[in-house]
Amino acid sequence: MFGRFYEVRPGAYGGHVDNSGSAAAGAARRVIFVHAHPDDETISTGATMAHYAAVGAHVTLVTCTLGEEGEIFVPELAGLAADQADQLGGYRISELKAACAAMGVTDHRFLGGAGRYRDSGMMGTPANDHPRAFWRADVDTAAGLLVEIMREVRPQVLVTYDPNGFYGHPDHIQAHRVAMRAAELAAPLGFAPAKIYWTTVPRRVLEAGIRAFAESAENPFSGVERADELPFGVPDELVAARIDASDQAGAKERALRAHATQIPPNSWLYTIAGNFGADFMGVEYYTLAAGERGPGEGPYGWESDLFAGLPVDADRALTAAAQ
């Protein structure tokens, strides 16, 4: 669940539910989320996506693979696995559609169209070598596909993973590379995002989770004593934005349940949601990888809006005039 890095200068930088470019152009706020597999969007950014969809922003989700290599938690669907009928990817399209509906997201695309790139599996597995594995994709080619989506949507904000793909999955790492390269390529064309965020979790939040699950049979931190042993998480001072979308916690939970093949009913996600409620489900954190940081709050000046500091209303007028 849980190479080459393209540095982007600050400020410079196919499944498609809603085909209308004018829908994006008419929205004052436009954000693209780039994720590796179906369910990643919900687990790491679901509350944020639901929040911005609810307040009228144009939210575009780009998913890079169908998640064909995922583990299956629905026994009657076990035959869909990659080593059997290899039909899981097609099934997960419907799960993602339901998750997007739960979050209120109407613009979803698969990068290059459904099936262009395949789930690469965990690092070091034979799936890495599949001819269509996303991990093997030419970065510039894949980035060019994303540039065309940016050309249509004209996002002010881009959200993806950090250089380690949050936790080291090859497709997450590749999604990072492709998203950052696309922003770089879009810069001279005049429609690169003004701000780029990477998903994260503050270490103090992870420490709280380690303590909370210490005696639990469903401990996602089993064998971990300190947050700095994990491949993800940052100190509070490196967090740039805290999006409190507590009012969308229910939407995120419904989206999680839509991914039934990947998230079993007894998942620790639901356990911690039951213990901490909207504080867990509805709050998500980001580091700012590119762009100017906007006004914030608290001791570290955390933004409460990914569009903080951006002239979104003026930008809408300019974009509409250009159409």
Side-chain angles (χ1 to χ4, degrees), residues 202-212 221 225-228:
R203 284 193 185 135
R204 64 174 179 81
V205 172
L206 293 171
E207 294 284 3
I210 291 170
R211 292 192 298 271
F221 304 104
E225 296 182 357
R226 301 186 312 277
D228 58 11

Side-chain angles (χ1 to χ4, degrees), residues 232-264:
F232 48 84
V234 298
D236 281 7
E237 58 268 25
L238 296 185
V239 174
R242 175 184 183 272
I243 304 303
D244 185 348
S246 300
D247 60 335
Q248 297 299 326
K252 178 171 180 173
E253 183 170 350
R254 290 191 296 275
L256 286 171
R257 294 190 185 280
H259 291 291
T261 62
Q262 305 303 296
I263 306 171

